[in-house]
Amino acid sequence: MNISELIKNLQDIQAAHNDDLEVVTGEEWFPEQLLSSHVNHNMAFLQFDRMPSDIPAEIDARGFLEHEELLIKTLITNVIFSELEPEAMVDKITSMLVFSHENISSDVIEHFNQTNK
């Protein structure tokens, strides 16, 4: 696909949604964000955050990505600056930590994304 076609597609998406959407690739349950781009000769290369290819697919070993860490920080900040009593804050943060410990990172982010909405 030529850049002009990609730009047109992206403009159509932007016009339809009126949001500044993230550019991702991958599956809906496991989006991989665009990290950087560069040009080499007549080709534009887009680099996305990806799970290492030498790890079996059934193992979620990538940990949290930068945008996912930002989501977690936002959720924790919301708890800290909420109107909750200190004990309730501790309980809420503890439940987040236990949930993230007991689940794979993609499930944690999916759950936290739902919590954040």
Side-chain angles (χ1 to χ4, degrees):
M1 175 182 288
N2 291 326
I3 282 187
S4 59
E5 293 174 81
L6 177 60
I7 290 171
K8 173 71 171 106
N9 287 340
L10 293 174
Q11 287 172 334
D12 291 345
I13 291 169
Q14 179 117 25
H17 294 279
N18 291 327
D19 288 326
D20 195 13
L21 303 171
E22 294 288 328
V23 176
V24 300
T25 189
E27 303 294 331
E28 282 191 34
W29 61 271
F30 196 71
E32 298 166 336
Q33 287 191 318
L34 180 63
L35 297 176
S36 65
S37 61
H38 70 277
V39 175
N40 187 357
H41 302 290
N42 66 338
M43 296 177 287
F45 289 86
L46 306 176
Q47 179 188 6
F48 292 87
D49 54 7
R50 295 191 181 274
M51 183 170 68
S53 59
D54 59 342
I55 297 175
E58 63 274 4
I59 298 175
D60 183 17
R62 67 180 175 85
F64 294 116
L65 304 171
E66 187 176 325
H67 67 280
E68 295 169 341
E69 288 178 13
L70 181 60
L71 169 65
I72 293 168
K73 285 180 184 179
T74 299
L75 290 172
I76 291 171
T77 299
N78 291 345
V79 171
I80 291 171
F81 291 104
S82 69
E83 298 293 323
L84 294 173
E85 294 294 323
E87 186 175 319
M89 278 187 221
V90 170
D91 289 344
K92 184 85 170 171
I93 292 173
T94 300
S95 70
M96 291 171 65
L97 290 170
V98 170
F99 183 83
S100 65
H101 173 73
E102 293 177 342
N103 292 276
I104 61 174
S105 60
S106 59
D107 290 343
V108 170
I109 294 304
E110 182 177 329
H111 174 77
F112 286 174
N113 269 324
Q114 295 301 319
T115 301
N116 198 36
K117 291 181 180 177

mmCIF file of all heavy atoms in Angstrom, residues 1-13 23 42-46 48:
data_model
loop_
_atom_site.group_PDB
_atom_site.id
_atom_site.type_symbol
_atom_site.label_atom_id
_atom_site.label_comp_id
_atom_site.label_asym_id
_atom_site.label_seq_id
_atom_site.Cartn_x
_atom_site.Cartn_y
_atom_site.Cartn_z
ATOM 1 N N MET A 1 0.840 -1.171 0.000
ATOM 2 C CA MET A 1 0.000 0.000 0.000
ATOM 3 C C MET A 1 0.888 1.238 0.000
ATOM 4 O O MET A 1 1.874 1.301 0.724
ATOM 5 C CB MET A 1 -0.898 -0.015 1.252
ATOM 6 C CG MET A 1 -1.736 1.242 1.409
ATOM 7 S SD MET A 1 -2.750 1.263 2.898
ATOM 8 C CE MET A 1 -3.976 0.072 2.502
ATOM 9 N N ASN A 2 0.541 2.201 -0.795
ATOM 10 C CA ASN A 2 1.277 3.464 -0.832
ATOM 11 C C ASN A 2 0.882 4.337 0.360
ATOM 12 O O ASN A 2 -0.213 4.222 0.899
ATOM 13 C CB ASN A 2 0.969 4.231 -2.120
ATOM 14 C CG ASN A 2 1.546 3.542 -3.333
ATOM 15 O OD1 ASN A 2 2.600 2.927 -3.257
ATOM 16 N ND2 ASN A 2 0.849 3.638 -4.449
ATOM 17 N N ILE A 3 1.781 5.220 0.753
ATOM 18 C CA ILE A 3 1.513 6.131 1.866
ATOM 19 C C ILE A 3 0.273 6.969 1.582
ATOM 20 O O ILE A 3 -0.540 7.212 2.476
ATOM 21 C CB ILE A 3 2.746 7.013 2.176
ATOM 22 C CG1 ILE A 3 3.763 6.197 2.960
ATOM 23 C CG2 ILE A 3 2.347 8.257 2.938
ATOM 24 C CD1 ILE A 3 4.948 6.973 3.477
ATOM 25 N N SER A 4 0.084 7.394 0.341
ATOM 26 C CA SER A 4 -1.095 8.204 0.017
ATOM 27 C C SER A 4 -2.384 7.433 0.306
ATOM 28 O O SER A 4 -3.349 8.008 0.818
ATOM 29 C CB SER A 4 -1.053 8.663 -1.438
ATOM 30 O OG SER A 4 -0.994 7.546 -2.298
ATOM 31 N N GLU A 5 -2.401 6.131 0.012
ATOM 32 C CA GLU A 5 -3.571 5.303 0.314
ATOM 33 C C GLU A 5 -3.764 5.158 1.824
ATOM 34 O O GLU A 5 -4.894 5.243 2.325
ATOM 35 C CB GLU A 5 -3.418 3.912 -0.298
ATOM 36 C CG GLU A 5 -3.448 3.871 -1.809
ATOM 37 C CD GLU A 5 -3.147 2.468 -2.307
ATOM 38 O OE1 GLU A 5 -4.086 1.637 -2.303
ATOM 39 O OE2 GLU A 5 -1.985 2.203 -2.659
ATOM 40 N N LEU A 6 -2.670 4.933 2.536
ATOM 41 C CA LEU A 6 -2.730 4.800 3.991
ATOM 42 C C LEU A 6 -3.245 6.086 4.624
ATOM 43 O O LEU A 6 -4.121 6.063 5.496
ATOM 44 C CB LEU A 6 -1.356 4.438 4.564
ATOM 45 C CG LEU A 6 -1.255 4.343 6.080
ATOM 46 C CD1 LEU A 6 -2.201 3.275 6.630
ATOM 47 C CD2 LEU A 6 0.182 4.055 6.499
ATOM 48 N N ILE A 7 -2.720 7.219 4.178
ATOM 49 C CA ILE A 7 -3.164 8.509 4.709
ATOM 50 C C ILE A 7 -4.654 8.696 4.458
ATOM 51 O O ILE A 7 -5.399 9.121 5.351
ATOM 52 C CB ILE A 7 -2.335 9.661 4.108
ATOM 53 C CG1 ILE A 7 -0.907 9.612 4.661
ATOM 54 C CG2 ILE A 7 -2.996 11.007 4.381
ATOM 55 C CD1 ILE A 7 0.062 10.567 3.977
ATOM 56 N N LYS A 8 -5.122 8.363 3.270
ATOM 57 C CA LYS A 8 -6.546 8.484 2.938
ATOM 58 C C LYS A 8 -7.378 7.600 3.858
ATOM 59 O O LYS A 8 -8.396 8.044 4.401
ATOM 60 C CB LYS A 8 -6.770 8.112 1.460
ATOM 61 C CG LYS A 8 -8.225 8.041 1.045
ATOM 62 C CD LYS A 8 -8.873 9.416 0.976
ATOM 63 C CE LYS A 8 -10.231 9.353 0.363
ATOM 64 N NZ LYS A 8 -11.335 9.502 1.274
ATOM 65 N N ASN A 9 -6.941 6.357 4.062
ATOM 66 C CA ASN A 9 -7.658 5.446 4.954
ATOM 67 C C ASN A 9 -7.714 6.001 6.376
ATOM 68 O O ASN A 9 -8.754 5.971 7.029
ATOM 69 C CB ASN A 9 -7.013 4.062 4.971
ATOM 70 C CG ASN A 9 -7.259 3.283 3.706
ATOM 71 O OD1 ASN A 9 -8.175 3.573 2.950
ATOM 72 N ND2 ASN A 9 -6.422 2.294 3.464
ATOM 73 N N LEU A 10 -6.587 6.509 6.851
ATOM 74 C CA LEU A 10 -6.533 7.061 8.205
ATOM 75 C C LEU A 10 -7.406 8.307 8.330
ATOM 76 O O LEU A 10 -8.079 8.509 9.350
ATOM 77 C CB LEU A 10 -5.084 7.365 8.603
ATOM 78 C CG LEU A 10 -4.170 6.144 8.760
ATOM 79 C CD1 LEU A 10 -2.734 6.584 9.004
ATOM 80 C CD2 LEU A 10 -4.652 5.234 9.874
ATOM 81 N N GLN A 11 -7.417 9.145 7.297
ATOM 82 C CA GLN A 11 -8.278 10.336 7.315
ATOM 83 C C GLN A 11 -9.753 9.942 7.342
ATOM 84 O O GLN A 11 -10.556 10.574 8.042
ATOM 85 C CB GLN A 11 -7.982 11.229 6.109
ATOM 86 C CG GLN A 11 -6.668 11.964 6.216
ATOM 87 C CD GLN A 11 -6.294 12.703 4.935
ATOM 88 O OE1 GLN A 11 -6.701 12.338 3.835
ATOM 89 N NE2 GLN A 11 -5.498 13.751 5.102
ATOM 90 N N ASP A 12 -10.124 8.902 6.590
ATOM 91 C CA ASP A 12 -11.509 8.420 6.603
ATOM 92 C C ASP A 12 -11.898 7.917 7.991
ATOM 93 O O ASP A 12 -12.994 8.196 8.482
ATOM 94 C CB ASP A 12 -11.711 7.305 5.570
ATOM 95 C CG ASP A 12 -11.624 7.801 4.139
ATOM 96 O OD1 ASP A 12 -11.685 9.039 3.913
ATOM 97 O OD2 ASP A 12 -11.478 6.948 3.236
ATOM 98 N N ILE A 13 -10.990 7.185 8.635
ATOM 99 C CA ILE A 13 -11.242 6.682 9.995
ATOM 100 C C ILE A 13 -11.411 7.849 10.953
ATOM 101 O O ILE A 13 -12.346 7.891 11.754
ATOM 102 C CB ILE A 13 -10.102 5.745 10.452
ATOM 103 C CG1 ILE A 13 -10.135 4.441 9.649
ATOM 104 C CG2 ILE A 13 -10.195 5.465 11.955
ATOM 105 C CD1 ILE A 13 -8.899 3.572 9.837
ATOM 106 N N VAL A 23 -2.815 4.163 16.647
ATOM 107 C CA VAL A 23 -2.530 3.298 15.506
ATOM 108 C C VAL A 23 -1.956 2.002 16.062
ATOM 109 O O VAL A 23 -0.944 2.014 16.758
ATOM 110 C CB VAL A 23 -1.527 3.960 14.532
ATOM 111 C CG1 VAL A 23 -1.160 3.000 13.403
ATOM 112 C CG2 VAL A 23 -2.093 5.255 13.986
ATOM 113 N N ASN A 42 12.762 3.554 -0.845
ATOM 114 C CA ASN A 42 11.394 3.952 -1.190
ATOM 115 C C ASN A 42 10.349 3.253 -0.312
ATOM 116 O O ASN A 42 9.206 3.092 -0.716
ATOM 117 C CB ASN A 42 11.108 3.677 -2.668
ATOM 118 C CG ASN A 42 11.118 2.196 -2.984
ATOM 119 O OD1 ASN A 42 11.708 1.397 -2.250
ATOM 120 N ND2 ASN A 42 10.480 1.815 -4.068
ATOM 121 N N MET A 43 10.766 2.845 0.892
ATOM 122 C CA MET A 43 9.847 2.132 1.781
ATOM 123 C C MET A 43 9.763 2.820 3.140
ATOM 124 O O MET A 43 10.776 3.240 3.689
ATOM 125 C CB MET A 43 10.311 0.683 1.969
ATOM 126 C CG MET A 43 10.290 -0.132 0.677
ATOM 127 S SD MET A 43 10.923 -1.795 0.898
ATOM 128 C CE MET A 43 12.677 -1.459 1.066
ATOM 129 N N ALA A 44 8.545 2.905 3.663
ATOM 130 C CA ALA A 44 8.321 3.429 5.013
ATOM 131 C C ALA A 44 8.143 2.232 5.946
ATOM 132 O O ALA A 44 7.307 1.369 5.708
ATOM 133 C CB ALA A 44 7.082 4.306 5.045
ATOM 134 N N PHE A 45 8.955 2.171 6.991
ATOM 135 C CA PHE A 45 8.896 1.083 7.955
ATOM 136 C C PHE A 45 8.200 1.576 9.225
ATOM 137 O O PHE A 45 8.531 2.639 9.753
ATOM 138 C CB PHE A 45 10.306 0.585 8.301
ATOM 139 C CG PHE A 45 10.949 -0.162 7.175
ATOM 140 C CD1 PHE A 45 11.649 0.512 6.187
ATOM 141 C CD2 PHE A 45 10.839 -1.542 7.097
ATOM 142 C CE1 PHE A 45 12.235 -0.174 5.139
ATOM 143 C CE2 PHE A 45 11.418 -2.236 6.055
ATOM 144 C CZ PHE A 45 12.126 -1.546 5.065
ATOM 145 N N LEU A 46 7.230 0.805 9.694
ATOM 146 C CA LEU A 46 6.507 1.106 10.913
ATOM 147 C C LEU A 46 6.875 0.043 11.938
ATOM 148 O O LEU A 46 6.724 -1.153 11.673
ATOM 149 C CB LEU A 46 5.002 1.110 10.670
ATOM 150 C CG LEU A 46 4.494 2.018 9.559
ATOM 151 C CD1 LEU A 46 2.997 1.843 9.377
ATOM 152 C CD2 LEU A 46 4.844 3.465 9.840
ATOM 153 N N PHE A 48 6.108 -1.706 15.493
ATOM 154 C CA PHE A 48 5.087 -1.899 16.514
ATOM 155 C C PHE A 48 5.678 -2.675 17.673
ATOM 156 O O PHE A 48 6.621 -3.450 17.500
ATOM 157 C CB PHE A 48 3.902 -2.681 15.926
ATOM 158 C CG PHE A 48 3.130 -1.900 14.903
ATOM 159 C CD1 PHE A 48 3.501 -1.907 13.568
ATOM 160 C CD2 PHE A 48 2.029 -1.154 15.287
ATOM 161 C CE1 PHE A 48 2.793 -1.181 12.628
ATOM 162 C CE2 PHE A 48 1.310 -0.419 14.349
ATOM 163 C CZ PHE A 48 1.694 -0.437 13.017
#
